[in-house]
């Protein structure tokens, strides 16, 4: 038979009212004295429990204190004359808190009375306990403050219905007076604990961050953890990314030497789960947790009963795990896990820095070896061009000593060009690579050498630096000069005999008898056209050579744009009619003159139109667009076809000499036409490029100045 009793205002107890008031006065005096002294929860609650036991003539009793998460934090027990202070919460006591009489009192925030332990389900029976054989009475009162339960007090004694209304009122009064003291003592205890934890965390942080030696950091970390957690053993496992395993690298306490070197798959054990989920874990009983593996116990011959584990991670990267096993004084709590997470977060940053430092040291060692042993001369400068470093090959190449070049301007090695041309690279990030070619570099002995320089922006110690790699191209320059001389000699030597051949063919054609057959006339015509084509090729080579050398004079005069485009159309019209192509010209009426060498740009237009005709499908349209660019005082001329276009990867090389990148079945010639176009446009200080036309096909664009 059970009852749940509301406290009443009247007190009907076996003692007199004065005795009742005396008891409450003693309780109040005891609590006030505790608050004045030290708020020692252990002293306060053990006395309260003893006083309540005596006054209600109970045989046994208990006080539960809950933490902020409503978990069982402290337990005081009394059985007859035996009192046990602040004992570890056992699984049975936790069950009482959740399912038994204490749980009922907490949920209802009211006193609960059990009249017969044998018939009331809220009384949890224990094997071989007297209450499994005899009827006992029990009473439980919650400690309530501001509608929140901070604990319970439970008293029991043999017999049926031993706790009447007077007992209910008395215990309710004791609980009401005790609740605020428990809360104050708990808060005081927690504050003292947090001060101690913070002090140790600060000490741990100082020790950990004072070193970049990984082993020293890990060992120091475990030592600090053990002072805060008081456990039997601690260990740290780090991730081996090559094998995706957790490798135990350091330990402290029982079995610490044996645990070092143990490897576990990343998906195995409590540590593996913590690593995979990047979440902490609290396992109060390893026998009941399927995640737990006995491999560590088998290696150390030391049993793991309980464990808390937290991940080591930085910016989403899991570095490993830290775990503590077997708390010495009690089972692990959520506060212990929270403390473990704080220590893990502190350690993660230190471990990450130490690992990065090791990687940087290794990278710097590799770079230094490559830098010093490189077969190419290498010079390092800041963004202003001041020399910061130079390798041995560069010293040999330039003929200087290290001290003669350090902190000097790179311009010292390049006196024939401006400083901007030498080291002001158009690079925006460390991944960008720019190549420049300087005509000459000056060695210490006054020798001028042609060189090619590759420059790259890199970052070292958070500072942007430029790395310059030199290549001696003296042999290439000499070979190129010989090739150009040979080409010029052959072209000039071919020019005169070819002119004689063409003149002879023309005279022969004029002197042919009127009755000459068609075969003779056809052969003469083929010879004249082939000779003319060869003469055009020779002239192109000569003009390209003069443009490259800067010897071709640009005679720029105001030229009517409309006439320029119309004349080019007239020249290519026969070919367009042959392939039934349409010609569309979009030239603004208000645009009149451009400042150009008319003959040269005329040839550029004709070359680009011929190129478009060659690759435009029969019956399609070729479009010429002329657009003024007001800010630059230039005109952009675009020639578009409707062919297959030019792939993006070839657009940067299509203007090189002897390059053909379109459909080879249609392409004819040696690839000199577009090379001439580039050189002619650049001679006018313009630009030329190719992109995709609207609707497909290729669009060649170039700019020339407005007249």
């Amino acid at each position: 038979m059970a009852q749940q009793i509301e406290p009443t205002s009247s007190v009907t107890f076996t003692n007199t009212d004065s005795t009742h008031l005396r008891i409450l006065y003693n309780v109040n005096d005891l609590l006030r004295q505790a608050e004045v002294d030290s708020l020692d929860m252990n002293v306060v609650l053990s006395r309260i429990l003893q006083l309540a036991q005596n006054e209600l003539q109970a045989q046994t009793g208990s006080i539960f204190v809950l933490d902020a998460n409503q978990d069982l934090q402290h337990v005081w027990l009394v059985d007859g004359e035996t009192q046990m202070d602040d004992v570890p919460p056992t699984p049975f006591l936790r069950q009482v808190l959740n399912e038994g009489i204490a749980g009922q009192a907490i949920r209802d925030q009211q006193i609960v009375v059990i009249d017969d332990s044998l018939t009331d389900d809220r009384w949890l029976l224990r094997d071989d306990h007297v209450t499994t054989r005899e009827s006992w009475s029990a009473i439980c009162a919650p400690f309530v403050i501001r509608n929140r339960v901070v604990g319970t007090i439970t008293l029991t004694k043999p017999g049926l219905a031993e706790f009447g209304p007077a007992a209910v009122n008395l215990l309710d009064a004791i609980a009401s007076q005790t609740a605020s003291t428990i809360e104050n003592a708990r808060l005081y205890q927690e504050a003292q604990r947090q001060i101690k934890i913070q002090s140790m965390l600060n000490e741990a942080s100082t020790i950990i961050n004072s070193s970049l030696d990984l082993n020293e950091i890990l060992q120091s970390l475990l030592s600090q953890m053990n002072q805060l957690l008081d456990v039997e053993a601690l260990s740290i496992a780090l991730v081996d990314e090559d094998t995706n395993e957790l490798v135990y690298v350091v330990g402290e306490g029982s079995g610490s030497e044996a645990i070092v070197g143990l490897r576990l798959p990343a998906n195995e054990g409590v540590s593996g789960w913590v690593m995979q989920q990047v979440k902490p874990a609290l396992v109060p009983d390893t026998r009941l947790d399927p995640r737990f593996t006995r491999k560590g116990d088998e290696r150390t011959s030391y049993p793991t009963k309980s464990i808390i584990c937290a991940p080591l991670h930085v910016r989403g990267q899991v570095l490993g795990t830290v775990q503590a096993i077997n708390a010495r004084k009690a089972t692990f709590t959520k506060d212990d896990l929270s403390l473990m997470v704080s220590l893990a977060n502190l350690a993660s940053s230190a471990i990450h820095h130490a690992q990065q430092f090791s990687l940087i040291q290794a990278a710097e060692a590799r770079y230094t070896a490559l830098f010093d042993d490189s077969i190419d001369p290498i010079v390092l400068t800041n963004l202003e061009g001041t020399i910061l470093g130079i390798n041995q090959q560069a010293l040999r190449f330039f003929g200087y000593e290290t001290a003669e070049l350090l902190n000097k301007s790179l311009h010292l090695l390049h006196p024939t060009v401006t400083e901007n041309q030498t080291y002001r690279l158009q690079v925006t990030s460390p991944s960008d690579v720019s190549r420049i070619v300087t005509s000459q570099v000056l060695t210490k002995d006054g020798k001028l050498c042609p060189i090619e320089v590759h420059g790259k922006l890199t970052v070292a110690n958070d500072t942007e630096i430029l790395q310059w790699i030199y290549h001696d191209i003296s042999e290439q320059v000499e070979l190129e000069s010989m090739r150009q001389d040979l080409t010029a000699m052959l072209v000039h030597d071919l020019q005169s005999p070819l002119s004689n051949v063409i003149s002879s063919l023309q005279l022969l054609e004029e002197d042919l008898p009127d009755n000459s057959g068609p075969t003779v006339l056809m052969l003469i015509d083929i010879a004249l056209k082939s000779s003319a084509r060869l003469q055009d090729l020779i002239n192109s080579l000569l003009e390209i050579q003069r443009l490259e050398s800067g010897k071709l004079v640009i005679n720029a005069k105001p030229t009517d744009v409309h006439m320029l485009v119309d004349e080019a159309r007239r020249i290519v019209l026969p070919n367009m009619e042959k392939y039934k192509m349409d010609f569309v010209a979009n030239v603004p009426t208000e645009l009149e003159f451009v400042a150009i060498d008319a003959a040269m740009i005329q040839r550029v237009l004709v070359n680009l139109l011929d190129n478009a005709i060659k690759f435009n499908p029969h019956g399609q349209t070729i479009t010429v667009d002329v657009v003024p660019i007001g800010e630059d005082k230039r005109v952009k001329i675009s020639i578009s076809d409707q062919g297959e276009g030019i792939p993006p990867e070839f657009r940067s090389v299509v203007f090189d000499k002897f390059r053909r990148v379109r459909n080879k079945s249609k392409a004819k010639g040696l690839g000199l036409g577009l090379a001439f176009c580039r050189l002619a446009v650049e001679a006018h200080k313009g630009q030329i490029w190719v992109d995709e036309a609207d609707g497909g096909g290729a669009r060649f664009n170039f700019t020339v100045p407005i007249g």
Side-chain angles (χ1 to χ4, degrees):
M1 180 177 178
Q3 56 181 321
Q4 184 168 301
I5 301 176
E6 293 280 356
T8 63
S9 58
S10 61
V11 178
T12 56
F13 196 59
T14 55
N15 294 328
T16 62
D17 288 349
S18 60
T19 302
H20 190 173
L21 292 173
R22 176 186 56 78
I23 294 170
L24 295 180
Y25 175 81
N26 289 339
V27 171
N28 185 64
D29 185 61
L30 187 154
L31 296 175
R32 188 175 65 254
Q33 187 61 43
E35 291 184 355
V36 171
D37 290 344
S38 64
L39 281 175
D40 188 331
M41 190 181 294
N42 192 49
V43 173
V44 173
L45 295 186
S46 63
R47 290 179 181 177
I48 290 293
L49 181 58
Q50 188 176 27
L51 184 147
Q53 178 197 15
N54 291 337
E55 297 301 333
L56 272 71
Q57 299 175 1
Q59 177 68 31
T60 66
S62 65
I63 286 181
F64 291 173
V65 174
L66 309 181
D67 62 17
N69 299 314
Q70 296 289 285
D71 288 337
L72 191 56
Q73 186 177 26
H74 301 287
V75 178
W76 284 263
L77 301 175
V78 62
D79 188 353
E81 299 297 324
T82 304
Q83 186 162 330
M84 292 168 283
D85 298 336
D86 203 6
V87 300
T90 63
F92 177 75
L93 294 177
R94 293 184 186 277
Q95 187 180 9
V96 171
L97 181 68
N98 295 324
E99 304 172 15
I101 185 172
Q104 183 71 44
I106 290 171
R107 287 189 294 274
D108 297 339
Q109 295 191 10
Q110 293 180 356
I111 293 178
V112 177
V113 175
I114 292 178
D115 291 332
D116 186 353
S117 61
L118 293 178
T119 60
D120 198 308
D121 292 338
R122 294 171 298 180
W123 184 259
L124 302 182
L125 299 176
R126 286 176 290 172
D127 295 340
D128 299 328
H129 192 266
V130 65
T131 56
T132 62
R133 302 183 303 273
E134 302 175 4
S135 294
W136 277 51
S137 300
I139 184 171
C140 179
F143 298 124
V144 182
I145 182 169
R146 292 186 292 276
N147 293 321
R148 186 171 64 86
V149 178
V150 296
T152 61
I153 179 170
T154 305
L155 298 170
T156 64
K157 62 180 176 179
L160 294 170
E162 290 291 330
F163 297 109
V168 170
N169 281 318
L170 182 58
L171 191 60
D172 179 61
I174 292 173
S176 298
Q177 293 189 69
T178 306
S180 61
T181 302
I182 290 176
E183 179 68 359
N184 292 339
R186 190 181 66 80
L187 291 174
Y188 175 78
Q189 186 181 62
E190 181 63 23
Q192 293 298 108
R193 178 174 177 271
Q194 289 299 326
I195 290 172
K196 181 180 179 182
I197 288 173
Q198 192 59 49
S199 175
M200 288 191 173
L201 283 175
N202 291 337
E203 183 180 352
S205 177
T206 302
I207 294 173
I208 289 173
N209 292 319
S210 64
S211 172
L212 286 172
D213 182 272
L214 186 57
N215 288 333
E216 183 180 345
I217 287 173
L218 297 181
Q219 199 63 58
S220 174
L221 174 67
L222 292 188
S223 177
Q224 294 296 319
M225 282 185 171
N226 207 15
Q227 291 185 46
L228 293 172
L229 295 172
D230 190 21
V231 296
E232 293 181 0
L234 288 144
S235 58
I236 290 177
L238 298 181
V239 177
D240 185 337
E241 295 183 354
D242 294 333
T243 61
N244 196 31
E245 292 177 314
L246 279 171
V247 183
Y248 287 78
V249 294
V250 66
E252 180 164 306
S254 303
S256 59
E257 293 183 0
I259 199 69
V260 174
L262 174 65
R263 288 177 171 267
L264 288 178
N267 59 352
E268 188 173 318
V270 175
S271 294
W273 183 90
V274 168
M275 173 190 164
Q276 293 287 335
Q277 302 297 320
V278 198
K279 295 179 180 178
L282 189 159
V283 180
D285 190 343
T286 57
R287 296 171 301 177
L288 305 177
D289 198 304
R291 297 172 298 181
F292 181 70
T293 177
R294 293 287 172 187
K295 288 184 178 180
D297 292 359
E298 294 169 359
R299 186 180 178 102
T300 62
S301 301
Y302 186 80
T304 300
K305 302 172 185 176
S306 58
I307 183 172
I308 53 175
C309 183
L312 302 168
H313 60 102
V314 175
R315 302 186 192 95
Q317 178 188 2
V318 180
L319 306 177
T321 61
V322 55
Q323 44 276 323
I325 65 172
N326 303 348
R328 293 184 186 277
K329 293 184 178 179
T331 58
F332 288 120
T333 66
K334 289 185 178 179
D335 287 339
D336 294 328
L337 185 62
S338 177
L339 177 58
M340 172 71 85
V341 171
S342 297
L343 288 166
N345 291 338
L346 178 67
S348 297
S349 178
I351 293 172
H352 179 69
H353 290 160
Q355 289 180 335
Q356 292 301 310
F357 179 72
S358 299
L359 291 175
I360 289 172
Q361 281 188 316
E364 286 184 347
R366 289 194 299 271
Y367 178 78
T368 300
L370 291 172
F371 181 72
D372 287 336
D373 297 340
S374 174
I375 61 173
D376 291 316
I378 301 176
V379 178
L380 304 178
T381 72
N382 59 20
L383 299 184
E384 286 70 40
T386 302
I387 296 175
L388 305 176
I390 186 166
N391 71 349
Q392 293 298 316
Q393 186 64 21
L395 293 174
R396 287 191 288 268
F397 180 69
F398 298 125
Y400 286 95
E401 297 293 332
T402 303
E404 294 177 297
L405 291 178
L406 284 181
N407 300 317
K408 301 295 192 305
S409 172
L410 189 63
H411 189 252
L412 173 67
L413 304 175
H414 302 274
T416 60
V417 293
T418 66
E419 293 195 21
N420 283 346
Q421 288 174 309
T422 305
Y423 58 80
R424 299 274 183 190
L425 287 183
Q426 299 301 314
V427 287
T428 58
S429 72
S431 62
D432 290 337
V433 176
S434 176
R435 187 189 83 170
I436 62 172
V437 178
T438 56
S439 59
Q440 291 173 321
V441 67
L442 183 66
T443 63
K444 186 178 179 180
D445 59 8
K447 180 182 177 182
L448 288 171
C449 298
I451 49 95
E452 181 181 75
V453 184
H454 294 258
K456 181 175 182 179
L457 180 66
T458 61
V459 178
N461 298 324
D462 297 327
T463 302
E464 290 184 333
I465 63 172
L466 290 167
Q467 174 182 276
W468 306 94
I469 302 176
Y470 287 77
H471 295 290
D472 184 354
I473 57 172
S474 299
E475 292 185 3
Q476 294 94 310
V477 169
E478 186 177 353
L479 288 173
E480 178 63 20
S481 178
M482 292 173 61
R483 187 187 66 80
Q484 291 179 355
D485 290 345
L486 179 60
T487 301
M489 180 182 67
L490 290 173
V491 169
H492 283 90
D493 287 350
L494 286 172
Q495 207 172 20
S496 180
L498 182 58
S499 297
N500 293 335
V501 169
I502 293 173
S503 298
S504 299
L505 288 171
Q506 290 172 342
L507 290 173
L508 182 60
E509 185 180 32
E510 293 175 1
D511 291 340
L512 282 175
D514 294 337
N515 60 352
S516 298
T519 302
V520 175
L521 293 173
M522 182 184 67
L523 291 175
I524 294 294
D525 184 61
I526 291 173
L528 280 170
K529 287 182 178 179
S530 297
S531 300
R533 185 164 173 248
L534 183 57
Q535 191 173 48
D536 286 341
L537 174 61
I538 291 172
N539 289 334
S540 294
L541 285 171
L542 286 172
E543 289 173 343
I544 288 174
Q545 185 183 21
R546 288 197 293 269
L547 282 168
E548 287 180 329
S549 64
K551 294 178 181 179
L552 189 63
V553 177
I554 304 300
N555 186 20
K557 294 180 180 180
T559 303
D560 188 300
V561 179
H562 303 81
M563 291 181 61
L564 182 73
V565 174
D566 190 62
E567 179 64 19
R569 181 194 65 81
R570 186 188 61 78
I571 294 172
V572 300
L573 187 59
N575 270 342
M576 295 188 67
E577 290 177 343
K578 177 181 177 181
Y579 298 114
K580 299 180 181 180
M581 295 182 185
D582 293 329
F583 181 91
V584 175
N586 300 311
V587 185
T589 55
E590 67 274 11
L591 183 62
E592 296 184 2
F593 298 102
V594 287
I596 59 172
D597 185 315
M600 188 176 295
I601 297 303
Q602 183 77 261
R603 186 170 174 188
V604 170
L605 260 177
V606 171
N607 280 353
L608 294 177
L609 287 170
D610 280 337
N611 190 68
I613 292 169
K614 188 185 304 181
F615 296 100
N616 203 40
H618 292 191
Q620 297 300 314
T621 301
I622 292 175
T623 305
V624 176
D625 294 296
V626 181
V627 180
I629 307 174
E631 311 89 55
D632 297 334
K633 295 184 178 180
R634 292 187 169 275
V635 167
K636 182 180 78 168
I637 301 175
S638 303
I639 296 90
S640 307
D641 62 45
Q642 294 177 298
E644 61 187 18
I646 297 177
E649 62 269 23
F650 294 119
R651 292 173 185 171
S652 61
V653 298
V654 71
F655 298 102
D656 292 348
K657 286 187 296 185
F658 310 114
R659 291 297 297 264
R660 293 184 304 172
V661 297
R662 295 245 220 170
N663 189 319
K664 293 183 179 179
S665 64
K666 294 182 180 180
K668 296 179 181 179
L670 295 177
L672 294 175
L674 292 179
F676 169 80
C677 292
R678 175 178 63 83
L679 292 169
V681 170
E682 290 176 353
H684 285 77
K685 308 299 181 184
Q687 293 179 309
I688 187 168
W689 70 97
V690 61
D691 54 20
E692 186 175 348
D694 296 336
R699 178 170 57 198
F700 284 83
N701 314 273
F702 67 92
T703 61
V704 291
I706 292 176

